[in-house]
Amino acid sequence: MGARDVSINLELQRKQNVAFESSATEILYGGAAFGGKSHLMRVAAISWCFEIPGLMVYLFRRVEDDLIKNHMEGPHGFRALLADWVQRGLVEIVQTEIRFLFNGARIFLCHCKDEAHRFKYHGAEIHVLMIDELTTFSDVIYRYLRFRTRMVGIKDRLPAKYRAGEIGPSGEVNEHDLFPRILNGSNPGNVGHSWVKRAFVDAVPAMKRWKTPDEEGGFVRQYVPALMADNPIGMSEDPDYVKRTRGLLDPELVRAMESGDWNVTIGGFFSELARWKHVIKATTFPKDWKRFTMTDWGSSAPFWSGWAVIVQDDVKVTGTVGNEISVPRGSLVVYREWYGCRANQLNVGIQLPVESWAMGVLKRCADEAIEYDVCDTSMFDEDGGPSLAERAGKVKLKDRKLRLRPA
């Protein structure tokens, strides 16, 4: 008796199926909690291993205990899903490895807690990379695991529907092979929130597929947002999940988990920051209102310079979602920024000489009356020569120089 003679329930819900059938090869699925991310990964891993002989699927979570509890055990875990195949000798589960005995495919359940541990996978042939809760991983770990994702030696085993030029699972003609493939799932928050948001959520509108540049891996990337409502089966089984989510009390965390809002700053210095409340559409303020610049200096690490106006009277302005926002007198409105970061490299500065930085600031505000320039105190440190602030203060553009003061 072959595998095709044994039934197995691999049903997906509508939004899960969108990600499963997508022609993108680097996908982030998720947003809100309880959107069905983990189940999608298990179903996809089993389905693709069934279809593609010799396929190697690596499914990661940051911590090993979470990996076993979330994916092996429980009524929807791998053991339950594959119970009939295991009983009939078609599949073997050995600790954290699932072996498809009829075609040589494998699913490896892996963890990578620290960045140094990524080198354990240096020799891995990862045909399909799956990362559950991507925001718990650093950008460094993700980039390395993506580097190990390739399809050497088994491309000729791909069914026609996964090949370039053929009709794909979604009914469209594939512009490229659909493997190797990366499927990520995550909620907002945690240590990787910023880089995941930048790479997947902010880059292009949700659902849009786009080819990333070589320095980003060269995959076809897509963000498929999922809400609790996209998991009606789970919600019917546990209708009180929303109440428990709201019981977290932290409004930022509740918003992230319930609505999949990536514009949150959980764990940030200003945790109350919200786009709908604190970000406004481009607005012209009176020229006689006081303005200043502020800079967090960096050379090997990025620098950041911002331009702010001090609001002199209570005003009402338009928010980014069309809402009216009251801005009280004395507020600071940051209306311009300059970020000295190397393109597509996280936390790497452009090593700009301080004199060039000073000229850049002057040029960016040549027609504005800037009263002073606030800088971090390190720029005033002296080490056997003029400080960075002293050097920057000598730069002139026409008749204007920076008026530097320590923060």
Side-chain angles (χ1 to χ4, degrees):
M1 178 177 290
R4 297 184 185 278
D5 300 318
V6 182
S7 64
I8 181 172
N9 183 11
L10 297 179
E11 183 180 358
L12 291 174
Q13 299 173 98
R14 187 192 67 82
K15 188 58 79 66
Q16 292 170 325
N17 205 56
V18 169
F20 178 68
E21 294 188 344
S22 173
S23 63
T25 54
E26 185 184 22
I27 296 171
L28 173 66
Y29 177 83
F34 214 39
K37 303 180 297 298
S38 297
H39 184 68
L40 165 64
M41 291 185 176
R42 290 190 291 272
V43 168
I46 293 171
S47 298
W48 293 333
C49 282
F50 174 79
E51 292 184 294
I52 307 171
L55 190 73
M56 300 287 119
V57 177
Y58 283 68
L59 196 164
F60 282 84
R61 277 188 76 122
R62 188 75 185 260
V63 180
E64 185 176 17
D65 287 349
D66 293 344
L67 180 75
I68 303 302
K69 292 173 184 176
N70 194 64
H71 286 289
M72 275 295 193
E73 311 303 338
H76 303 293
F78 278 119
R79 293 188 188 279
L81 288 172
L82 293 167
D84 286 347
W85 283 9
V86 171
Q87 185 178 3
R88 295 172 185 266
L90 300 170
V91 168
E92 182 180 32
I93 300 179
V94 181
Q95 295 180 334
T96 57
E97 182 180 338
I98 300 170
R99 303 169 182 171
F100 292 75
L101 302 179
F102 55 90
N103 70 356
R106 299 282 189 273
I107 300 172
F108 300 96
L109 274 64
C110 309
H111 65 284
C112 191
K113 185 175 182 295
D114 301 313
E115 290 186 353
H117 296 161
R118 70 191 188 276
F119 297 115
K120 292 192 304 182
Y121 304 99
H122 181 74
E125 291 279 352
I126 302 177
H127 304 145
V128 177
L129 173 63
M130 295 182 174
I131 299 185
D132 196 4
E133 298 302 343
L134 183 60
T135 55
T136 64
F137 289 78
S138 70
D139 180 57
V140 171
I141 294 175
Y142 179 70
R143 286 177 179 273
Y144 195 85
L145 295 178
R146 185 177 62 193
F147 151 67
R148 302 308 309 164
T149 305
R150 49 190 178 166
M151 203 72 172
V152 177
I154 72 165
K155 271 202 170 186
D156 58 343
R157 303 177 190 176
L158 282 178
K161 66 180 180 179
Y162 296 133
R163 296 176 182 271
E166 302 287 346
I167 302 295
S170 64
E172 302 174 353
V173 177
N174 299 327
E175 296 182 358
H176 48 266
D177 286 348
L178 303 193
F179 291 83
R181 195 174 183 92
I182 300 173
L183 177 59
N184 303 299
S186 199
N187 305 123
N190 224 301
V191 296
H193 175 93
S194 294
W195 78 260
V196 173
K197 180 175 183 288
R198 182 175 61 251
F200 288 92
V201 181
D202 291 343
V204 299
M207 300 304 299
K208 180 179 175 64
R209 298 186 296 268
W210 62 291
K211 183 75 160 57
T212 61
D214 290 351
E215 57 268 24
E216 281 297 302
F219 286 80
V220 178
R221 187 176 291 175
Q222 184 183 32
Y223 168 50
V224 180
L227 302 175
M228 291 181 182
D230 294 315
N231 185 13
I233 294 176
M235 293 302 293
S236 66
E237 293 178 352
D238 189 1
D240 292 331
Y241 187 84
V242 174
K243 297 178 184 178
R244 295 197 298 277
T245 301
R246 293 173 182 173
L248 291 167
L249 292 182
D250 182 342
E252 288 284 291
L253 188 56
V254 171
R255 199 165 87 241
M257 295 299 104
E258 188 172 347
S259 62
D261 187 353
W262 289 86
N263 295 309
V264 294
T265 53
I266 300 169
F269 189 88
F270 294 108
S271 60
E272 70 275 19
L273 187 68
R275 179 177 293 274
W276 66 270
K277 186 177 181 181
H278 298 109
V279 183
I280 66 177
K281 289 187 175 181
T283 304
T284 301
F285 293 100
K287 287 188 175 182
D288 60 344
W289 285 10
K290 182 180 292 186
R291 286 168 165 77
F292 66 96
T293 73
M294 53 198 133
T295 293
D296 181 15
W297 176 251
S299 180
S300 296
F303 67 80
W304 180 86
S305 294
W307 282 253
V309 58
I310 302 175
V311 177
Q312 302 297 304
D313 298 298
D314 294 350
V315 294
K316 294 185 182 297
V317 296
T318 303
T320 55
V321 295
N323 58 313
E324 185 178 78
I325 297 178
S326 296
V327 182
R329 179 179 179 180
S331 299
L332 302 181
V333 176
V334 179
Y335 59 91
R336 181 187 298 132
E337 68 173 353
W338 180 21
Y339 188 44
C341 182
R342 188 171 297 176
N344 299 311
Q345 294 194 40
L346 184 68
N347 205 33
V348 178
I350 57 176
Q351 298 184 331
L352 193 68
V354 71
E355 292 83 0
S356 299
W357 163 80
M359 182 59 71
V361 172
L362 291 170
K363 286 181 176 179
R364 284 167 171 79
C365 53
D367 60 343
E368 297 171 334
I370 303 297
E371 297 206 14
Y372 51 86
D373 305 276
V374 180
C375 301
D376 70 62
T377 55
S378 68
M379 295 188 71
F380 295 84
D381 294 342
E382 297 182 0
D383 186 16
S387 67
L388 293 174
E390 185 177 350
R391 288 164 52 191
K394 294 179 179 179
V395 176
K396 285 187 177 183
L397 179 63
K398 297 180 180 178
D399 59 345
R400 181 169 186 260
K401 299 192 300 183
L402 297 181
R403 301 172 183 176
L404 299 171
R405 61 171 68 172

